[in-house]
Amino acid sequence: MPLYDYDLITIGAGSGGVRASRRAAAMGAKAAIVENLRTGGTCVMRGCVPKKLLVYAGHFADDFEDSGGYGWERVDPGFDWPALIKAKNKELDRLEAVYHRILGEAGVEEVFATATLADPHTVEVDGKSLTTKTLLVATGGWPMMPDIPGIEHVITSNEALDLHELPDRIAIIGGGYIAVEFAGIFNSLGARVTEIIRAPQILRGFDDDVRDMLAGEMEKKGIDIRRETVVEEITKEGNKSGGAFSLKLKGGGTIAADRVMYATGRAPNTKGMGLGEAGVELDGKGAVRVDEFSRASVDNIYAIGDVTERMNLTPVAIAEAEAMVRTAFGGQPTALDYANVPSAVFSQPPIGTVGLTEAEAHVEAGAGGGIDVYVSRFTPMKFTLSGRDEKSMMKLIVERKTGRVLGCHMVGMDAPEIIQGFAVALRTGATKADFDATIGIHPTAGEEFFTLREKREDLGRGEA
Ligand code: NDP
C-alpha cells in the first residue's frame, strides 16, 4: 500500500503545470493536476494565445491600407468584432481539448476544483483529501489593480478579450507589456485609445531607445499616451451599454472613455491556498520563495512559473517545469540559466529583445572598458510603395574589451521572429566580429544586424 495517493499533485494547469505533470507521469509518477478555471492557464486561455490572435486581426487593417500602393484597388472592408471573438473562442476550445487529450494520454488525472493545502502532503479538493509525496504549485498570477474609487467599473485583460462590442473610446492604464499590446490591438481595430502611464515613458525595464521608438510609433498611429498621469477616481456616466466613464486625474482634468482597462501588473495566485499555514515561505507580494531548483521552503513542495515571480514568461515556466521534474523525479538537480532569455512585446510595431539594455550593459561592462552601441533606423521595404510612415530600429550593444554582443534589440515588423534566432548567437557568446562576418539574406530586415558599422556616440545612458 503506497504511503500517498499520488507521487505528484500539481496545482494549476497552465503551461508550466501541464508540462511538469506530463513529464513526471512519463517517468512513471502517478500524477494529478488540479485546476479551477480552464485547462491551458493564463497563456493559452487568457493571455499570449488569444492576445496574438487579436494582434493578427489588427494587422489586416494596415494590410488593406498598404495594398493600395501595390496596385490593389482601394478596399474598405467592414470589421466584425463579435465574429473575431467567436472565432478566437472556437480556437481556445480546440486548444483546451488538446490539453485534456495530452494530459489523458500521459496518464495524468485532471481534477476540476479549487485546491487548498491541509498540510504539505495533503490537498483538499471539493471536500476530499488527496495525499501526495511531492506537491507542485503552478498557480500563475492574476491582474492587480490599485484600490481607487470606481475601480469596480474597470476591466482587465481577462475581460478585454471577451467584450461583446468594440468600444469607441478605451482608456488603458499602465505602461507594461499588457497595456501596450492591448493599446495596439484596440487602436488597430478602430477604437480611440488613450494610454495613461504614471511614468515618463512606457515599458520600464526595456532599453531606452526601444521605449522611445515604440512610443513614437504608437503615437504616430494615433494612440494618445498621457505620461506622468495618475487616475484618482472613475465615475460611471449615463446609461450607455457597456458604460461611459469619466476618469478624474490627479492634479486636475478628466478623460472620458467607454471602457476603462487596467493593466497595472499581476500578483501571484497564492491567497487563501493555505501555503503559509503549511510552512511555505512567501514574499511580500505573495510569490512562493524558491531556490535555484524551484524548491520551496518545505522539502516536498516545489513552485514554478508566474507564482514564483522570477521571469514571467511562458517558455521560462515550461523550462522550469522540465528542470523541476529532472530534479524531483530524475535524480538530477537541474537549475535554469536565466541569462539571454529572449522576449517580445506584440505591440504595433512589435519589439524583440535579448540580452542587456544599454543601461544594464554600462553597469556590467563599465569597469572593464565600456561598451559600443550600434543603432540603425530605416523604413521597412514593404512600406516603400505603400508610403506608410513606420520605421524599424535595430540596436546592438557590444562589450568593447571582448567584442561580445551583450544586447540585441529590435522594434519593427517581424522583430519577435528575427530576434528569436539571435538568442542562440548571444547564448553562445557571439562577438561583433561574428556578426560582421555573417552573410545576410537579401532583401530582409534581419540582414541589417550584419551591416551595422557606425558606432553611435555615447548619449550618457549609463544610468540604469
Ligand atoms: P508590468 O509589470 O509589465 O507593467 C505594469 C505597468 O503598470 C507598469 O507600466 C507600471 O508603471 C504600471 N502600474 C503599476 N501600478 C500602477 C498603479 N497603481 N497606477 C498606475 N500604473 C501602475 O505588468 P503587465 O500587467 O503589463 O504584465 C504582467 C507580466 O506579464 C509582465 O511582467 C510579463 O512578464 C508578462 N507578460 C508578457 C508578455 C510577453 O512576453 N509578450 C505579454 C503580457 C504579459 P511603472 O512602470 O511606473 O511601474
Side-chain angles (χ1 to χ4, degrees):
M1 178 92 179
L3 198 54
Y4 300 106
D5 300 330
Y6 297 93
D7 300 311
L8 175 69
I9 291 184
T10 300
I11 310 179
S15 305
V18 166
R19 177 62 62 93
S21 309
R22 285 173 55 208
R23 277 283 186 270
M27 292 170 84
K30 186 173 182 216
I33 191 163
V34 189
E35 171 62 54
N36 63 1
L37 286 170
R38 295 184 72 179
T39 302
T42 300
C43 178
V44 182
M45 293 296 145
R46 296 176 293 281
C48 330
V49 171
K51 173 274 307 285
K52 186 131 188 227
L53 294 173
L54 267 54
V55 169
Y56 279 131
H59 284 174
F60 285 100
D62 285 355
D63 287 342
F64 289 131
E65 238 177 68
D66 289 338
S67 66
Y70 285 87
W72 291 89
E73 276 173 29
R74 173 97 196 133
V75 272
D76 204 1
F79 170 65
D80 184 347
W81 169 267
L84 169 64
I85 298 303
K86 195 171 156 201
K88 180 264 297 174
N89 287 342
K90 194 171 158 203
E91 173 59 7
L92 298 192
D93 290 345
R94 188 187 71 81
L95 290 172
E96 193 175 12
V98 169
Y99 271 81
H100 290 317
R101 180 169 55 74
I102 57 177
L103 282 166
E105 284 171 1
V108 179
E109 194 180 316
E110 283 194 84
V111 180
F112 305 102
T114 298
T116 50
L117 258 64
D119 65 54
H121 289 281
T122 312
V123 176
E124 303 278 351
V125 285
D126 281 343
K128 273 195 315 221
S129 295
L130 306 176
T131 60
T132 184
K133 182 162 185 265
T134 302
L135 180 81
L136 175 62
V137 182
T139 46
W142 198 251
M144 203 166 63
M145 285 177 280
D147 185 16
I148 58 167
I151 199 73
E152 67 276 10
H153 298 307
V154 313
I155 59 170
T156 68
S157 54
N158 291 342
E159 296 77 31
L161 291 163
D162 272 322
L163 289 176
H164 295 304
E165 58 184 42
L166 183 67
D168 291 337
R169 303 164 301 173
I170 184 164
I172 300 178
I173 292 87
Y177 284 80
I178 298 181
V180 299
E181 289 182 343
F182 277 84
I185 289 168
F186 282 114
N187 179 65
S188 60
L189 294 176
R192 275 175 292 157
V193 178
T194 307
E195 182 169 352
I196 302 168
I197 61 172
R198 63 182 182 183
Q201 190 54 289
I202 56 169
L203 292 178
R204 185 161 54 85
F206 281 73
D207 184 88
D208 285 333
D209 282 316
V210 168
R211 302 168 74 191
D212 293 347
M213 174 85 185
L214 177 64
E217 292 297 329
M218 287 169 70
E219 285 171 323
K220 278 200 281 182
K221 286 177 183 290
I223 296 171
D224 179 8
I225 302 177
R226 303 282 184 97
R227 295 171 172 79
E228 296 177 85
T229 302
V230 172
V231 177
E232 265 185 351
E233 186 177 353
I234 300 152
T235 41
K236 190 170 188 332
E237 311 209 307
N239 293 321
K240 194 168 171 202
S241 94
F245 302 96
S246 174
L247 280 61
K248 187 169 153 219
L249 306 178
K250 192 170 170 186
T254 56
I255 290 172
D258 303 303
R259 284 284 182 188
V260 185
M261 172 178 161
Y262 267 71
T264 47
R266 296 172 62 85
N269 267 332
T270 51
K271 249 204 209 126
M273 276 180 64
L275 285 167
E277 294 78 350
V280 176
E281 258 179 52
L282 306 176
D283 73 7
K285 215 179 149 190
V288 179
R289 280 192 208 275
V290 288
D291 67 8
E292 66 202 297
F293 303 110
S294 295
R295 282 187 302 224
S297 55
V298 173
D299 265 1
N300 70 309
I301 301 185
Y302 291 76
I304 55 165
D306 289 7
V307 77
T308 62
E309 283 273 315
R310 285 174 284 184
M311 197 180 267
N312 295 355
L313 299 169
T314 297
V316 170
I318 291 172
E320 287 169 353
E322 299 272 359
M324 176 269 165
V325 172
R326 246 174 272 144
T327 302
F329 297 94
Q332 279 180 285
T334 306
L336 201 65
D337 176 5
Y338 292 87
N340 290 317
V341 172
S343 75
V345 182
F346 293 94
S347 45
Q348 300 188 17
I351 294 173
T353 173
V354 58
L356 305 182
T357 66
E358 186 175 340
E360 288 166 347
H362 261 295
V363 175
E364 172 137 333
I371 56 170
D372 289 321
V373 174
Y374 300 82
V375 179
S376 167
R377 288 186 172 78
F378 58 94
T379 302
M381 194 177 185
K382 184 178 177 188
F383 303 146
T384 52
L385 295 196
S386 71
R388 174 173 299 283
D389 178 19
E390 183 183 309
K391 295 254 186 304
S392 291
M393 183 195 79
M394 281 158 173
K395 178 169 180 178
L396 279 186
I397 299 156
V398 178
E399 188 175 42
R400 198 171 293 146
K401 197 172 74 178
T402 60
R404 202 158 59 94
V405 178
L406 300 178
C408 183
H409 308 271
M410 178 174 175
V411 182
M413 205 166 62
D414 301 326
E417 301 290 345
I418 291 169
I419 290 295
Q420 183 135 232
F422 284 104
V424 183
L426 263 71
R427 226 192 129 67
T428 51
T431 62
K432 178 69 167 61
D434 293 321
F435 273 59
D436 294 345
T438 303
I439 295 172
I441 300 171
H442 187 71
T444 62
E447 65 177 325
E448 195 75 10
F449 273 120
F450 306 135
T451 58
L452 293 167
R453 297 286 182 266
E454 293 286 309
K455 286 179 197 167
R456 200 203 59 199
E457 59 173 311
D458 187 354
L459 300 179
R461 285 188 151 167
E463 301 308 312

